Amino acid sequence: MYIIRPDWVSHPDDRGRQQPIYSIHIQPVHVADAGTDASSSSQSQAASLKRGHSGDDASESKSVGPRIATGGQDGRIRLWNSLPILDPDAEMDESVPRLLSILAIHTGAVLCVRWSSIDGRLLASGSDDSKIVIWDKDRSGQPSVVFGETTVPSIETWRAIKVLFGHESDVAQLAWAPDNAYLASCGLDSHVIIWDGRSF
């Protein structure tokens, strides 16, 4: 096991002070076939990580690996490119982006981020504002800037396609069903809610 902590993965506030990161989740990648052995599966997975996520457009897959979502005290969700972490050559290549997008709709700390199963097309986030937000990538190609951010425009644009209300306190944990048919949420209100993932 290797533990890598890139110093550029951070959640600074408007004064540049680092804020705690409460949750992290890596976009799923599925490359192994049932008939492959462990060694070939491992090699093909590494190759797939460097090629990019299978759900991306071909033009961007060369420079974007599976995304890493982080949620922090600043109320933001940041999406990071894993390619500069996995590939030393990509880390030195200034044309390979690191921060892909900043998502901002929560009014409290983001306590949990979870990619959907199988393809990782959707991202669910839970916050101490008691809301759950479902995000999907906007494939129009228009870059965006989060209001109040002084960073460069996002490489990718992600839109909130659904906001789920039901908890009366912090949303502490989220989990997708293996087929994404359901999303379970757990809150500090002592409630577990099962949502219909087919409605997202």
Side-chain angles (χ1 to χ4, degrees):
M1 175 186 292
Y2 292 94
I3 298 177
I4 303 174
R5 184 186 180 278
D7 56 8
W8 42 270
V9 175
S10 63
H11 278 245
D13 62 13
D14 54 1
R15 297 183 180 180
R17 297 174 299 191
Q18 300 303 318
Q19 299 297 301
I21 294 175
Y22 293 134
S23 182
I24 181 170
H25 198 223
I26 300 174
Q27 197 174 29
V29 176
H30 298 274
V31 296
D33 295 326
T36 59
D37 58 38
S39 61
S40 62
S41 173
S42 177
Q43 292 171 357
S44 60
Q45 184 174 15
S48 177
L49 290 172
K50 290 187 178 183
R51 282 198 307 271
H53 186 255
S54 59
D56 292 328
D57 300 330
S59 59
E60 73 175 22
S61 64
K62 294 179 181 178
S63 60
V64 176
R67 296 166 184 86
I68 300 173
T70 56
Q73 174 68 39
D74 58 351
R76 302 285 198 255
I77 300 158
R78 295 174 188 258
L79 302 184
W80 307 91
N81 185 6
S82 66
L83 196 60
I85 300 175
L86 300 169
D87 187 347
D89 293 333
E91 186 176 20
M92 302 302 294
D93 188 346
E94 294 183 358
S95 68
V96 177
R98 294 181 176 181
L99 178 61
L100 300 175
S101 191
I102 300 175
L103 317 182
I105 196 173
H106 288 292
T107 56
V110 178
L111 305 179
C112 186
V113 289
R114 288 294 179 269
W115 294 103
S116 58
S117 305
I118 306 172
D119 58 359
R121 183 178 67 85
L122 300 177
L123 178 69
S125 60
S127 168
D128 66 8
D129 61 8
S130 77
K131 295 194 297 277
I132 299 165
V133 180
I134 308 298
W135 304 85
D136 193 6
K137 186 181 177 186
D138 181 354
R139 303 189 184 278
S140 66
Q142 298 295 324
S144 66
V145 178
V146 173
F147 181 77
E149 290 286 343
T150 58
T151 56
V152 296
S154 294
I155 303 296
E156 300 176 345
T157 300
W158 288 70
R159 308 249 180 231
I161 61 170
K162 197 99 170 179
V163 180
L164 306 176
F165 299 93
H167 286 286
E168 299 176 356
S169 187
D170 305 18
V171 179
Q173 191 58 269
L174 298 164
W176 292 89
D179 61 356
N180 295 324
Y182 302 100
L183 174 69
S185 62
C186 173
L188 296 187
D189 54 3
S190 300
H191 292 161
V192 175
I193 301 177
I194 307 299
W195 309 88
D196 185 355
R198 294 162 293 189
S199 66
F200 302 156

